Amino acid sequence: MRHSSFEDYGVFPPGAGRVTLGEVKAEWVDRDEDESDVEGLGRKWTSIVHEPEGLRVHGASFDVFARSEEAAGDRFFKAAGDFVELMIQSARLGFSRGDQQAQGGLARISFHWSDERMAVVSADSDAIHILSLGGESELEWERPALKSNKMTNINAIAFRPFSGSTIAAGCERGIAIWRRREVSYLIRRAHTQVCGLDWTRDGSLLASASPNERSVVLWDVGSKEASPLQSIQGGARLASWSPHDSSLLFVSSARKPTFQVWKKGSWLSDSWVEMSGPIACCCWSMDGSTLIFAPENEPAIHAIRFEQEYNSKSSPAARSHYLTLERTDSCRVPCKNNEAETALVGGMARQMAWDPTGERLAIIFESEEGADEADNLVAIYSTRLRPTFQMNPIGWVRSSSGSGPPLSIAFKPYFKSGSLLAVLWANHTVSFVQMLFKPSADRVQAANS
């Protein structure tokens, strides 16, 4: 296990009043939040306002996604990433940091599997807003928002792969399934307050987790047939399929320091117990070889490496390797724009997202010591899967003043010139941050396979 200090890497966050724009050639670019122009980036930053049903888009540049590739020469990057914010206005106040800790791991953002669209849970958690990202000069909200009087307290959303606009929402009642503007429900006794949702890669099965039921449930959405898997102590919190072929299913307990990994088809499972606490968050590498996760009360990142080829009759643990990758204890580091200013970084991971290339990992931390407004950051790591797994901090994402702590993160699939990260903040703002780099050829092949 490596005891890591962010300061050891010389990676310092921007100070208060700075806004992260993105990554260009391994350099992180930020600006003063009051600046209207960004020197050297070749484009002027303007404001676009659009207000369907209480939603406002502001701080957008001319182009949501930079057309960053150049046909000639070795100059790969044309411009720094564009910065976009989406304000979801609501009478409800923003989430407190305590709320963030209690709701760690909840997926309030979901990108469509192929279209330039994204779903965001509303500030009051009772509606889903769909944003079209395909416009050349402005973003467009689809009207009206997806809302039903039976769909309240939405905890997680997930677009269904290969099924048009179908989206699942875990809520107080169970699971709402939206097909365009029509909604149906998957209801099962005790399977309420659904907080974990994940589709298999082909969209044939939906796994759902509820803290009130001791089983993760697999749904055939067409027939509404439910197949509960073996019970897990303390109810279920997270359910996550391995992305490459959905051959493995990770399930964590909501209250106990244990989790299970199931093998699809044979439905053999193995349990990992005696963790330091319940698992707060997890994510898979795109090729399904590596699962990383973090307990809710330990400042550390753990991983399980699975062999790509194993006997169909063997259990998931038969050819796996457990690793404790990195300690992420809180520490104070100087801010890069003002060495006299410091930021409290690290702590317990509350949510994580891995990009499709396998080269960028985003993590939301909760400090053991508490934090003030200046420390509301998302950590960005570079990662390498082979020949050995490596993760190193390379940058930080900060939003404008008053954004509060980050609540949810997601990477856009199929982003040509690197990675695009969406971050939902406590003041109901969503930031898009581009990481412009040239992925290695083998990782591009793995991401698209």
Side-chain angles (χ1 to χ4, degrees):
M1 176 170 57
R2 185 176 67 181
H3 287 259
S4 171
S5 168
F6 291 88
E7 192 170 8
D8 291 344
Y9 292 90
V11 178
F12 305 123
R18 305 289 295 181
V19 171
T20 302
L21 303 178
E23 174 194 2
V24 181
K25 291 185 176 179
E27 295 292 332
W28 283 81
V29 181
D30 58 78
R31 66 171 173 88
D32 190 283
E33 61 185 14
D34 296 325
E35 289 180 10
S36 59
D37 294 278
V38 182
E39 184 178 356
L41 298 189
R43 56 182 72 212
K44 182 180 176 66
W45 298 81
T46 63
S47 228
I48 298 173
V49 177
H50 188 52
E51 297 187 343
E53 300 185 350
L55 298 177
R56 186 193 314 155
V57 180
H58 67 91
S61 68
F62 294 118
D63 205 4
V64 177
F65 305 132
R67 280 36 173 179
S68 56
E69 294 178 298
E70 292 190 339
D74 60 359
R75 185 181 173 193
F76 181 74
F77 299 103
K78 182 179 180 181
D82 296 335
F83 176 80
V84 182
E85 287 187 339
L86 317 175
M87 177 62 76
I88 304 177
Q89 296 180 322
S90 171
R92 178 177 174 180
L93 297 177
F95 298 101
S96 68
R97 186 168 284 275
D99 290 333
Q100 178 200 12
Q101 180 169 350
Q103 300 176 27
L106 300 185
R108 298 178 179 274
I109 302 172
S110 179
F111 282 100
H112 192 273
W113 55 279
S114 65
D115 290 346
E116 298 294 310
R117 302 166 73 214
M118 185 184 78
V120 183
V121 176
S122 67
D124 58 8
S125 299
D126 289 343
I128 302 170
H129 297 273
I130 309 297
L131 180 70
S132 174
L133 307 172
E136 288 296 321
S137 61
E138 68 176 72
L139 309 174
E140 182 179 359
W141 294 101
E142 298 182 10
R143 308 184 190 187
L146 303 180
K147 192 169 185 178
S148 167
N149 58 7
K150 295 180 181 179
M151 185 179 69
T152 58
N153 297 325
I154 303 169
N155 292 316
I157 53 176
F159 273 110
R160 183 181 186 180
F162 305 106
S163 186
S165 299
T166 301
I167 186 169
C171 58
E172 184 78 24
R173 181 182 176 91
I175 304 171
I177 302 293
W178 289 90
R179 297 177 178 87
R180 296 187 180 274
R181 297 293 166 183
E182 297 181 359
V183 63
S184 60
Y185 289 89
L186 303 178
I187 304 296
R188 175 180 165 85
R189 185 176 181 180
H191 202 71
T192 56
Q193 297 178 319
V194 172
C195 56
L197 286 177
D198 200 19
W199 296 94
T200 53
R201 181 169 181 174
D202 62 4
S204 61
L205 288 177
L206 175 66
S208 63
S210 163
N212 302 319
E213 183 169 9
R214 291 165 55 91
S215 299
V216 68
V217 179
L218 305 182
W219 299 89
D220 181 317
V221 174
S223 65
K224 296 188 177 182
E225 180 181 351
S227 301
L229 293 180
Q230 176 181 317
S231 63
I232 184 167
Q233 293 183 357
R237 172 184 286 179
L238 301 174
S240 180
W241 295 99
S242 56
H244 177 63
D245 56 6
S246 302
S247 61
L248 298 175
L249 174 64
F250 172 89
V251 180
S252 72
S253 171
R255 301 176 183 90
K256 301 293 183 179
T258 182
F259 64 87
Q260 296 173 318
V261 177
W262 291 82
K263 189 173 179 182
K264 186 181 175 186
S266 67
W267 299 113
L268 296 173
S269 70
D270 286 301
S271 296
W272 280 258
V273 297
E274 298 181 359
M275 304 298 297
S276 61
I279 304 304
C281 54
C282 73
C283 61
W284 290 90
S285 62
M286 186 55 65
D287 65 359
S289 68
T290 306
L291 171 72
I292 63 174
F293 56 93
E296 67 178 21
N297 57 355
E298 179 189 7
I301 305 297
H302 301 265
I304 300 177
R305 299 271 286 177
F306 296 93
E307 297 287 345
Q308 294 287 35
E309 300 293 336
Y310 45 78
N311 190 297
S312 60
K313 297 181 180 179
S314 63
S315 66
R319 300 187 67 178
S320 65
H321 309 280
Y322 181 91
L323 304 168
T324 299
L325 298 174
E326 176 131 348
R327 293 284 302 185
T328 57
D329 303 84
S330 294
C331 62
R332 283 209 168 268
V333 298
C335 294
K336 70 176 183 178
N337 309 102
N338 180 4
E339 293 186 358
E341 180 184 352
T342 63
L344 184 62
V345 300
M348 284 83 69
R350 291 293 171 246
Q351 193 167 127
M352 53 181 64
W354 214 336
D355 84 326
T357 71
E359 298 190 31
R360 294 296 181 269
L361 173 70
I363 300 180
I364 298 173
F365 287 107
E366 172 80 13
S367 170
E368 304 103 308
E369 305 174 22
D372 55 25
E373 170 64 22
D375 306 325
N376 295 323
L377 301 160
V378 178
I380 306 296
Y381 291 78
S382 67
T383 55
R384 188 179 70 180
L385 296 174
R386 298 177 181 84
T388 59
F389 183 84
Q390 291 185 6
M391 57 179 290
N392 297 305
I394 59 169
W396 301 91
V397 174
R398 183 190 289 282
S399 187
S400 54
S401 297
S403 295
L407 300 180
S408 191
I409 47 180
F411 279 101
K412 184 181 185 296
Y414 310 114
F415 189 67
K416 181 184 296 184
S417 303
S419 299
L420 180 76
L421 177 70
V423 185
L424 174 63
W425 304 85
N427 72 338
H428 319 137
T429 300
V430 176
S431 301
F432 289 103
V433 179
Q434 290 185 91
M435 302 169 206
L436 302 181
F437 59 92
K438 191 170 185 177
S440 60
D442 58 331
R443 296 180 194 179
V444 171
Q445 182 178 3
N448 293 332
S449 62

